[in-house]
Structures are given as structure tokens and as C-alpha cells.
């Protein structure tokens, strides 16, 4: 089930990055902001690749952009299969996506902590990652719902939510029923 959850998240992440990329291109048409070079430079550092020209860096940036989105999307799929669904979960996931990017960018030395950024650049990045997180979440939630009710949602139904004196784990000892 974990593989199915992560795989559905990868698919959801690909959908999310597609919508985020379209939104970024619309924003760039309005603001005339150029493409970021940071993902391509981060990929070079992570993979130990030699620096490349503009066309090579654009390809690396696109690959990194899609790869990060798919990889982090796997976690959103697991969240959805665990019962963490809807706008609340997508809000939580927005922070995860922003954090994942910041770890890679700062670890490789091609980025700087967000609190040092110009506010307009920060707003664009947070806005784009929010679009990604909510689209990814919507797709992941739909795929998880098709698998049935998660243990967390079963537990909430039994106990009416989480309480100080809880009802314990869901009965049956299995996260999901075996397929028939």
C-alpha cells in the first residue's frame, strides 16, 4: 500500500508541477521576471556536473523542477492515503514543499534563506509552491479516496476525532482491507 500511496503522489506531483509551471509562465508574462537559474545550478552541484551554457542549464532547471515536484509529491500521496486530506493537509504540504526546495538550494550553496530575499521574489515563490501544493493535494486526495477510507479517517469516525481519552487503534490490525 505504501508503494501505491507514494506512486499516486508522484503522479499528483507531476500534475501539480504542470499547473504551477503554467501559472509561473502567466506571471512571468505579466511581470517580465526571467526564469530562475537556481534549480539548474542546484542540480549541477548535487550531481557533480560541470557548469554548462544557458541551454544546458535550462534543461537541468526543468529536470530539477519536475524531479523535485514528483519526489516531494510522493510524500503528499502518503499523506492522503494516511487520511491527511483536503485544504488543511495541502496547507501543511505547502510548507513541506517550500522546505524541501530550501534544503536543496541552501545545502548546495546556490540559494539563500527566504528571509533574506526581496519580498516580491518571496511572494512569487510562495505563491507558486502554494499552487503546486493544492493541485498536488487535490489529485492525491482523489486517488487515495478511490482506495477507501484510511486508518486515520476510520479512527476519527470511531472516536469523533481525537480526544484525550482515545479509543485506540482501529480494529482489525490492518491499515486497509485486503483486496478481494
Amino acid at each position: 500500500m505504501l508503494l501505491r500511496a507514494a506512486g499516486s503522489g508522484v503522479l499528483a506531483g507531476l500534475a501539480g508541477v504542470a499547473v504551477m509551471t503554467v501559472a509561473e509562465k502567466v506571471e512571468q508574462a505579466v511581470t517580465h521576471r526571467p526564469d530562475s537559474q537556481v534549480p539548474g545550478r542546484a542540480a549541477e552541484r548535487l550531481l557533480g556536473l560541470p557548469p554548462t551554457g544557458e541551454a544546458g542549464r535550462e534543461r537541468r532547471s526543468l529536470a530539477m523542477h519536475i524531479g523535485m515536484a514528483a519526489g516531494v509529491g510522493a510524500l503528499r500521496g502518503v499523506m492522503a492515503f494516511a487520511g491527511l486530506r483536503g485544504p488543511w493537509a495541502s496547507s501543511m504540504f505547502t510548507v513541506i514543499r517550500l522546505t524541501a526546495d530550501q534544503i536543496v538550494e541552501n545545502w548546495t550553496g546556490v540559494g539563500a534563506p527566504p528571509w533574506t530575499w526581496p519580498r516580491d521574489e518571496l511572494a512569487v515563490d510562495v505563491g507558486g509552491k502554494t499552487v503546486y501544493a493544492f493541485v498536488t493535494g487535490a489529485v492525491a486526495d482523489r486517488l487515495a479516496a478511490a482506495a477507501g477510507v484510511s486508518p486515520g479517517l476510520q479512527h476519527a469516525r470511531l472516536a469523533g476525532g481525537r480526544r484525550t481519552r482515545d479509543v485506540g487503534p482501529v480494529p482489525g490490525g490492518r491499515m486497509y482491507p485486503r483486496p478481494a
Side-chain angles (χ1 to χ4, degrees):
M1 188 55 68
L2 183 60
L3 219 51
R4 181 176 177 189
S8 73
V10 168
L11 292 175
L14 292 172
V17 75
V19 174
M20 178 177 75
T21 302
V22 169
E24 286 175 345
K25 293 305 177 188
V26 169
E27 172 266 319
Q28 287 176 309
V30 172
T31 64
H32 306 291
R33 182 180 61 84
D35 287 336
S36 174
Q37 300 295 310
V38 172
R41 289 190 175 121
E44 288 173 358
R45 295 265 179 102
L46 277 175
L47 301 173
L49 302 172
T52 185
E54 187 175 333
R57 189 168 297 119
E58 285 178 16
R59 284 191 301 277
R60 290 175 181 177
S61 285
L62 183 60
M64 186 70 162
H65 187 65
I66 294 169
M68 285 289 293
V72 178
L75 180 58
R76 185 60 178 86
V78 172
M79 288 172 65
F81 272 71
L84 301 172
R85 300 178 188 162
W88 183 260
S90 292
S91 295
M92 292 167 41
F93 184 62
T94 301
V95 175
I96 292 169
R97 175 59 203 266
L98 288 162
T99 302
D101 279 3
Q102 287 305 302
I103 290 168
V104 170
E105 293 170 11
N106 284 272
W107 185 269
T108 59
V110 300
W115 51 88
T116 66
W117 297 11
R119 294 300 164 237
D120 59 337
E121 287 184 33
L122 184 61
V124 165
D125 194 57
V126 170
K129 297 311 186 312
T130 301
V131 167
Y132 161 81
F134 276 77
V135 171
T136 300
V139 174
D141 291 351
R142 189 170 186 105
L143 293 171
V149 179
S150 73
L153 294 175
Q154 288 175 10
H155 185 98
R157 286 179 184 169
L158 285 173
R162 185 171 178 180
R163 302 286 182 259
T164 304
R165 298 192 185 274
D166 228 334
V167 298
V170 293
R174 294 200 57 82
M175 289 179 52
Y176 284 88
R178 289 186 189 269

